[in-house]
């Protein structure tokens, strides 16, 4: 359940932004979570309410942008969609490729008041 | 909030204990301001902040800070990861006993509860600190930083960090280590690398332990190696049995070839607590 640590890191980022901008609370938070980031959406949603309780995120509306995985194959130079980390290239079967996107784990924006 | 009970104290639930042989027992699309009218007469001033902050950035920065400590002291740091029961502590006990005259060692033990593992390590004479994470399922760079200052390992030593027995959560958290070593034992499933790929993808060495029990299990060493390589083409393997001693020489040779030079750059940025 490292998702709890992840949510707590988001709380830390939100608290720092609220302080820096002399705000009181976060009304909305936009997160970017890649398909290959190792975050289980159900576990994340389960951890969220208990981790944000009593913090500046307590009443924040959470919007998650899921980023699909994409990779570039080293063998055949083809670009492909990667749903699971460590799947093979669908064109040539190679496991040697660069992940282009899908590992994102970011706080994109916050609406503070 | 702490990861253990939800209380307000971030350090609650995590205990760092030095154990010695003597002491033994114990959304918005653009930046700017928005004036938003709500359902009744007031208006609320809102500010949109484009944060673009990596959620693991703080852990990664602390891991980098740890790495500077490790390099300044010339300490080579190994993060040992595996499922519970693969033999991490037993491997350490034997290694420390066999090599204690050849190499200086120190150990950070990570477990949810008890100082049992640290007591086993302390009995070998090696300096050891126990981190109890409470209910936390992995070590992070901050815990290791605190343990580092508590332990203060000898210069040019090898520091083992025995992570919490868990093949999922520790994979995401850089501790500042130089090498990550994953252990699987032949009493586990052959397909473990495929089931927990992140851990094997981020490890430099895979130790296959309990090799003496191979005739009693269905474990297929060649297939397990192939699965590992499929995820991480660069990973190295050592097959051994801690209890019988097979293959330990290869592990010791691997340890001895790791660099332990003090790097003086960045020493000014070191903290003392």
């Amino acid at each position: 359940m490292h998702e709890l640590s992840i949510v707590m890191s988001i709380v830390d980022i939100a608290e720092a932004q609220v302080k820096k901008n002399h705000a009181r609370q976060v009304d909305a938070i936009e997160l970017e979570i890649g398909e290959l980031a190792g975050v289980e959406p159900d576990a994340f949603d389960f951890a969220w309410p208990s981790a944000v309780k009593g913090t500046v995120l307590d009443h924040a509306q959470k919007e998650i942008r899921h980023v699909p995985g994409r990779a570039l194959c080293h063998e055949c130079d083809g670009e492909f969609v990667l749903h699971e980390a460590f799947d093979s290239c669908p064109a040539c079967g190679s496991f040697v490729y660069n992940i282009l996107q899908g590992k994102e784990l970011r706080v994109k924006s916050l609406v503070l008041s | 909030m702490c990861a253990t009970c939800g209380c307000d104290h971030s350090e609650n639930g995590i205990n760092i204990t030095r154990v010695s042989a003597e002491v033994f027992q114990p959304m918005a699309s653009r930046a700017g301001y928005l004036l938003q009218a709500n359902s009744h007469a007031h208006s609320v001033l809102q500010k949109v902040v484009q944060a673009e902050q990596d959620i693991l950035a703080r852990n990664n920065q602390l891991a980098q800070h740890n790495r500077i400590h490790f390099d300044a002291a010339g300490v080579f740091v190994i993060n040992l990861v595996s499922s519970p029961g693969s033999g991490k502590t037993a491997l350490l006990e034997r290694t420390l006993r066999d090599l204690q005259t050849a190499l200086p060692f120190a150990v950070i033990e990570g477990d949810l509860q008890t100082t049992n593992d640290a007591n086993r390590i302390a009995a070998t004479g090696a300096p050891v600190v126990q981190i109890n994470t409470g209910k936390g399922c992995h070590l992070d760079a901050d815990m290791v930083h605190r343990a580092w200052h508590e332990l203060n390992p000898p210069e040019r030593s090898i520091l083992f960090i025995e992570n919490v027995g868990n093949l999922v959560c520790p994979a995401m958290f850089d501790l500042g280590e130089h090498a990550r070593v994953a252990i699987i034992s032949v009493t586990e499933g052959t397909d473990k690398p495929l089931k927990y790929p992140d851990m094997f993808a981020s490890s430099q060495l895979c130790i296959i332990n309990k090799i003496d029990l191979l005739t009693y299990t269905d474990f297929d060493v060649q297939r397990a190696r192939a699965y590992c390589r499929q995820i991480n083409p660069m990973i190295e393997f050592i097959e051994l049995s801690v209890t019988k001693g097979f293959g330990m020489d290869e592990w010791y040779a691997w340890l001895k070839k790791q660099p332990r030079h003090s790097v003086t750059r960045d020493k000014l940025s070191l903290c003392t607590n």
Side-chain angles (χ1 to χ4, degrees):
Chain A
M1 238 321 245
H2 57 279
E3 284 80 4
L4 183 56
S5 318
I6 304 281
V7 179
M8 282 161 53
S9 301
I10 296 171
V11 170
D12 289 344
I13 289 172
E15 303 258 356
Q17 287 288 358
V18 163
K19 199 172 162 198
K20 188 173 147 194
N21 291 284
H22 310 292
R24 279 183 301 107
Q25 62 171 29
V26 180
D27 294 336
I29 184 164
E30 184 188 11
L31 306 169
E32 198 171 57
I33 301 182
E35 201 176 8
L36 313 171
V39 173
E40 202 51 57
D42 288 347
F44 187 84
D45 289 340
F46 180 77
W48 184 269
S50 45
V52 303
K53 197 161 183 237
T55 74
V56 296
L57 284 173
D58 206 343
H59 304 292
Q61 191 189 334
K62 154 171 71 89
E63 191 183 315
I64 299 180
R65 287 165 174 261
H66 294 282
V67 184
R70 285 200 76 79
L72 178 67
C73 181
H74 280 288
E75 297 292 334
C76 70
D77 247 4
E79 215 181 293
F80 60 96
V81 175
L82 187 62
H83 291 298
E84 297 277 349
F86 318 109
D87 273 355
S88 61
C89 168
C92 74
S94 170
F95 289 97
V96 188
Y97 46 75
N98 263 2
I99 291 173
L100 301 172
Q101 63 169 53
K103 301 282 271 184
E104 293 81 357
L105 199 50
R106 250 197 308 258
V107 175
K108 266 195 88 61
S109 70
L110 303 116
V111 179
L112 309 176
S113 68
Chain B
M1 195 191 79
C2 85
T4 302
C5 62
C7 70
D8 290 336
H9 301 284
S10 60
E11 288 180 0
N12 260 22
I14 296 165
N15 290 310
I16 295 182
T17 317
R18 192 185 177 103
V19 177
S20 62
E22 302 83 63
V23 195
F24 221 67
Q25 286 318 318
M27 119 192 33
S29 56
R30 64 189 171 82
Y33 288 87
L34 295 178
L35 198 59
Q36 194 183 69
N38 60 16
S39 57
H40 50 293
H42 315 294
S43 57
V44 182
L45 189 63
Q46 286 184 321
K47 184 178 184 184
V48 181
V49 178
Q50 299 295 329
E52 295 288 349
Q53 271 175 286
D54 192 314
I55 292 164
L56 291 176
R58 183 165 158 69
N59 185 74
N60 294 341
Q61 282 161 3
L62 272 168
Q64 184 55 25
H65 176 82
N66 288 348
R67 223 173 331 259
I68 294 169
H69 274 299
F70 304 157
D71 288 346
V75 174
F76 187 82
V77 181
I78 297 168
N79 183 2
L80 269 182
V81 292
S82 81
S83 329
S86 298
K88 292 188 295 299
T89 315
L91 176 75
L92 286 186
E93 280 181 297
R94 177 144 194 166
T95 304
L96 298 174
R97 286 213 164 88
D98 287 354
L99 293 188
Q100 59 187 348
T101 54
L103 285 172
F105 288 105
V107 179
I108 294 172
E109 280 288 339
D111 282 299
L112 272 65
Q113 303 285 346
T114 82
T115 56
N116 292 354
D117 281 3
N119 293 339
R120 286 168 62 185
I121 299 299
T124 69
V128 57
V129 159
Q130 175 79 51
I131 301 175
N132 285 131
T133 57
K135 302 247 179 326
C137 48
H138 60 89
L139 297 180
D140 64 32
D142 181 48
M143 296 175 199
V144 168
H145 182 246
R146 288 159 58 199
W148 166 266
H149 284 295
E150 181 63 36
L151 184 61
N152 198 16
E155 292 211 343
R156 296 172 191 231
S157 56
I158 289 180
L159 170 64
F160 288 111
I161 302 171
E162 184 182 332
N163 217 314
V164 177
N166 178 339
L167 273 177
V168 186
C169 309
M172 287 182 82
F173 294 85
D174 184 6
L175 307 178
E177 72 268 20
H178 298 103
R180 192 174 281 190
V181 175
I183 305 178
I184 47 177
S185 60
V186 304
T187 52
E188 300 167 48
T190 302
D191 57 354
K192 205 141 226 186
L194 295 183
K195 286 178 169 169
Y196 303 94
D198 290 289
M199 196 61 96
F200 294 90
S202 59
S203 296
Q204 285 73 48
L205 175 66
C206 174
I207 289 179
I208 302 174
N209 187 24
K210 307 186 190 178
I211 209 79
D212 54 310
L213 300 179
L214 206 48
T215 47
Y216 306 105
T217 71
D218 294 332
F219 192 87
D220 182 333
V221 176
Q222 290 319 313
R223 262 180 49 222
R225 289 171 78 126
Y227 289 150
C228 255
R229 280 266 160 84
Q230 180 177 319
I231 290 152
N232 180 352
M234 304 296 286
I235 199 163
E236 295 178 71
F237 299 96
I238 296 176
E239 294 164 26
L240 53 79
S241 159
V242 172
T243 52
K244 297 289 189 293
F246 311 144
M248 293 300 284
D249 286 345
E250 202 183 334
W251 162 238
Y252 295 155
W254 186 90
L255 285 175
K256 285 174 182 165
K257 77 177 183 195
Q258 303 308 325
R260 289 174 291 121
H261 314 298
S262 177
V263 182
T264 50
R265 70 179 165 82
D266 291 333
K267 245 186 180 166
L268 286 175
S269 63
L270 292 183
C271 61
T272 53
N273 54 34

